[in-house]
Amino acid sequence: MAAEVTDYCSKHTNGIPSSMQDVWQWTVKSFKDADKMSSPLQGAWMIFLAEDRQAKRILEIGSYSGYSALAWYEGTKRTKADIILLELSPEMIAATRRTLDTYNLNDRVTLIEGPAQESIATLTGTFDIVFVDANKDGYLGYVKAILDQNLLAPNGVIVCDNGEPQTRTNPHITLTALILHISSLHITLTTPPVFARGMTISTSANPDLDNSVRPYWTECGKALQKFNDYVVNDPRVDVTMLPVFDGVSMIKWKVDDSNRTDESVDGLGEKGSAANGDFSSGVVRADGVMSGHGGNTANGNLDAVANGIADE
């Protein structure tokens, strides 16, 4: 049923341009882990998102082969957005540069090489869209740094992709009910994998997951559990997690409710407890510190970053 739904959605969605189809097919043929790449349907959604938000500046953490960068480029032809990519892997840096050079994207796309956490620390200004699709144990550190450094525009959105498996043969059809068997290049129908192949929900959520990749996705699931728990409890932001692809979280700055007449979120009145800290008329700054009078740091300490942050 999931395959039929995805096929139906693909047929009733404006397709991706031939350039993206070419990059998708080339990536599938060139890399054994091409299931990490965004699907054609997701690529179409990314173009739509960039156009709809009229983005003028985009940050992508984890460029892989440059397929998603091409989507952002296509979606910002009208706004001529600047697009910054962060990538660590020498193999994927070379693949991304191939895409940038082949399709003449270098006029608006900048690729920064090296560990993403270090690269983020050098960034300035704000971004309308931040797309995180890299090593799962780095998500918490990346998103926290973006928020702490005020890199997200006031009306910007952070999109965290939890990774999606897709068919390796037809770029027009992506089946969210498929699992990639690393031991071969075949795709086998299974129960729908959601969020790190289901491992974020439970280590027993996907009994059909191939044993050769189960340890990897189990660790990814643990890291994403920690990230998901953190971000939903961060008082600075609102988050919506969507069960599309293999899970997508959309994060934005929390709307200022100071002028609201009803009770604030979670039933707190004008004076209440913000997580583990009290506040009266204080405002949560992007660095997690309560400003104004009578305020303490929300959650007590927002500087706890997951250990072992690394790039793929």
Side-chain angles (χ1 to χ4, degrees):
M1 182 61 184
E4 294 179 12
V5 170
T6 304
D7 189 20
Y8 183 86
C9 291
S10 298
K11 290 178 179 178
H12 292 82
T13 297
N14 295 123
I16 57 176
S18 59
S19 57
M20 289 181 63
Q21 294 181 29
D22 293 342
V23 172
W24 200 92
Q25 291 176 331
W26 175 80
T27 304
V28 165
K29 294 176 181 178
S30 303
F31 301 98
K32 293 182 179 180
D33 61 351
D35 63 314
K36 294 179 179 179
M37 177 175 53
S38 298
S39 71
L41 183 59
Q42 187 171 358
W45 171 70
M46 293 163 70
I47 294 175
F48 185 98
L49 180 67
E51 290 178 340
D52 182 64
R53 300 191 69 86
Q54 301 182 43
K56 296 181 179 179
R57 202 156 182 249
I58 296 176
L59 171 66
E60 176 173 283
I61 304 175
S63 65
Y64 199 62
S65 66
Y67 171 80
S68 52
L70 187 50
W72 299 128
Y73 192 93
E74 288 288 334
T76 57
K77 285 185 174 180
R78 182 175 299 178
T79 59
K80 304 297 182 183
D82 291 325
I83 302 166
I84 296 179
L85 313 177
L86 309 183
E87 181 58 59
L88 173 66
S89 165
E91 184 179 34
M92 303 325 299
I93 288 172
T96 298
R97 291 204 179 279
R98 174 190 180 277
T99 298
L100 301 185
D101 293 341
T102 300
Y103 300 98
N104 301 313
L105 309 184
N106 291 294
D107 61 323
R108 293 197 286 113
V109 181
T110 301
L111 175 60
I112 300 177
E113 303 178 15
Q117 200 72 47
E118 296 178 9
S119 298
I120 292 171
T122 68
L123 299 177
T124 58
T126 60
F127 296 89
D128 302 300
I129 296 175
V130 177
F131 183 57
V132 186
D133 189 11
N135 53 304
K136 310 312 173 191
D137 59 349
Y139 276 36
L140 194 157
Y142 301 154
V143 171
K144 184 179 183 300
I146 289 165
L147 298 176
D148 290 350
Q149 294 174 220
N150 281 310
L151 294 177
L152 182 64
N155 294 316
V157 62
I158 301 174
V159 179
C160 296
D161 185 4
N162 289 345
E164 175 189 11
Q166 38 257 332
T167 172
R168 302 175 63 88
T169 56
N170 188 343
H172 300 286
I173 302 175
T174 171
L175 310 179
T176 53
L178 298 185
I179 287 294
L180 173 65
H181 285 258
I182 298 299
S183 58
S184 67
L185 295 182
H186 298 293
I187 295 296
T188 302
L189 283 169
T190 67
T191 54
V194 179
F195 309 101
R197 306 309 189 265
M199 298 298 103
T200 303
I201 310 302
S202 168
T203 55
S204 61
N206 192 350
D208 297 314
L209 184 61
D210 193 286
N211 288 331
S212 64
V213 295
R214 180 174 291 277
Y216 168 77
W217 285 112
T218 296
E219 291 306 310
C220 286
K222 292 178 181 178
L224 288 173
Q225 282 181 345
K226 189 171 185 178
F227 166 71
N228 292 335
D229 289 343
Y230 171 85
V231 73
V232 77
N233 288 296
D234 189 324
R236 300 172 290 180
V237 298
D238 287 323
V239 57
T240 296
M241 181 180 292
L242 302 172
V244 295
F245 311 121
D246 193 25
V248 171
S249 291
M250 302 185 73
I251 304 164
K252 68 178 182 65
W253 291 116
K254 188 176 292 293
V255 175
D256 183 5
D257 291 329
S258 60
N259 294 324
R260 286 179 55 176
T261 57
D262 58 336
E263 289 189 344
S264 59
V265 177
D266 295 330
L268 298 178
E270 182 180 352
K271 294 185 178 181
S273 62
N276 295 326
D278 293 334
F279 69 93
S280 52
S281 59
V283 178
V284 181
R285 296 205 318 253
D287 58 6
V289 178
M290 298 294 293
S291 63
H293 62 277
N296 298 320
T297 302
N299 282 334
N301 180 15
L302 292 178
D303 292 327
V305 180
N307 294 327
I309 292 174
D311 296 79
E312 288 179 332

